[in-house]
Amino acid sequence: MKLTIVAGARPNFIKIAPVIQAVLNAQNNGRNITYRLVHTGQHYDKKMSDTFFEELNIPLPHINLGIGGGSQAEQTAGIMIEFEKELIKNPTDLVIVVGDVTSTMACSIVAKKLGTKVAHIEAGIRSWDITMPEEINRLVTDSITDYFFTTSTIANENLYNMGIPNEKVFFVGNVMIDTLLSNIKRFVKPNFFDKINLSNGKYIVLTLHRPANVDEIKKLERTINEITNNVENLPIIFPIHPRTAKIFSGINITSNNLHIVDPLGYLEFNYLVKNAKAVITDSGGITEETTVMGIPCLTLRDNTERPETCTIGTNELVGTDPDAIRPALGKLFSNEWKKGGIPELWDGKVSERIVNILMEIIK
Ligand code: UDP
């Protein structure tokens, strides 16, 4: 069986790492399976791409389509044009796409139009917020996918409600947690940790990159000031996403406990998360990682496509109104944050399950 695996952006690299490892393990066990890794180039910055290949021992991509930057439409079109050439030159039995980025959607459309089957890892999750580009990517991808690998029973229900037959849906768990559990002993203390006197449980990690939080400069300024002024002066480590960095230099911060750093590698970032008092974020993947590590997570979004991180895990939706931040932090500092458990099948064996299923269904 020949697979083409697509990855384009930071969270994709974290999701494909264990899948490729499971393919290589199957090969070593004498199974007839090969893969070709296509990097679309959607994230091209070293800190958003190469670092993850190095740290997570992901074999280098067989090809990089070099489509970085541009608007949503330019990216989608650019990826489609180049991926079509790639797939015609290198036919495959199955295209595997992961997550919800532009590359996920663009490559699944191309594959289907060339008559190639598509498997979507992390299928079926929905924020029901169509203003998010990721939600459009999920809807389009899942409307043409052949095999749906899901992280939760809620995702299964969403697919069922779309009319997807049960035999196409495989509830396998969360590949992102495979990466977390297989690297947790390798986490690396960042250089600045001791330099700025951080100590375990006595700092906050912050990440923000969604348009609803970062595109309006005045709102971003209020959000940051609400956070920095209501954390009992604990240091806040803010690895800044390139999208946020573009707007950030114009804002006026009224306290001195915010430490802005470049995006961190996976091992350093998760070292910080594992030892933090709490994480404040608008990322999806990070809410899953904090759930598994049992770290309080305050999500600055009005909705989530990962409701199990709230119903089972340590995550709470604070919303995108900066006025909601102070009461949420009040709850954190009065030690009233919930404890949380780990969702079903987030057990580190997900990629192995996926490869075993593929060996059965693709003949
Ligand atoms: N991450 C990282 N370094 C950072 C910030 C995040 O390695 O400085 C990792 C994080 O552990 C998670 C992933 O990046 O695995 C989340 O990516 P992102 O927030 O960009 O995407 P989303 O999950 O929102 O789609």
Side-chain angles (χ1 to χ4, degrees), residues 123-167:
I125 63 175
R126 296 287 182 270
S127 65
W128 309 112
D129 176 359
I130 200 70
T131 65
M132 292 175 72
E134 295 88 345
E135 184 73 356
I136 300 173
N137 298 336
R138 292 180 198 118
L139 285 165
V140 174
T141 305
D142 285 344
S143 69
I144 51 179
T145 289
D146 296 281
Y147 306 113
F148 302 81
F149 291 101
T150 62
T151 49
S152 70
T153 49
I154 300 161
N156 301 344
E157 274 167 38
N158 293 337
L159 292 169
Y160 177 75
N161 292 336
M162 264 178 79
I164 307 294
N166 278 341
E167 61 271 20

Side-chain angles (χ1 to χ4, degrees), residues 10-11 14 52 176 209-210 239 263-266 269-270 283-286 289:
R10 176 170 70 185
I14 294 158
F52 297 93
M176 212 159 190
H209 69 282
R210 300 253 173 255
L264 293 168
Y266 182 84
F269 180 74
N270 282 292
S283 158
I286 293 171
E289 292 160 346

Side-chain angles (χ1 to χ4, degrees), residues 11 36 56 62 68 70 102 107 115-116 127 152 182 188 193 220 224 227 248 283 298 347 349:
R36 185 169 164 84
L56 301 177
H62 296 86
T102 305
C107 294
T116 306
S127 65
S152 70
S182 64
V188 174
F193 197 95
L220 177 61
I224 296 287
I227 296 170
F248 203 79
S283 158
L298 290 73
D347 60 359
K349 297 182 183 138

Side-chain angles (χ1 to χ4, degrees), residues 201-218:
K202 299 216 171 86
Y203 63 90
I204 306 281
V205 177
L206 171 66
T207 83
L208 290 175
H209 69 282
R210 300 253 173 255
N213 287 316
V214 307
D215 280 5
E216 263 179 63
I217 187 160
K218 280 290 152 205

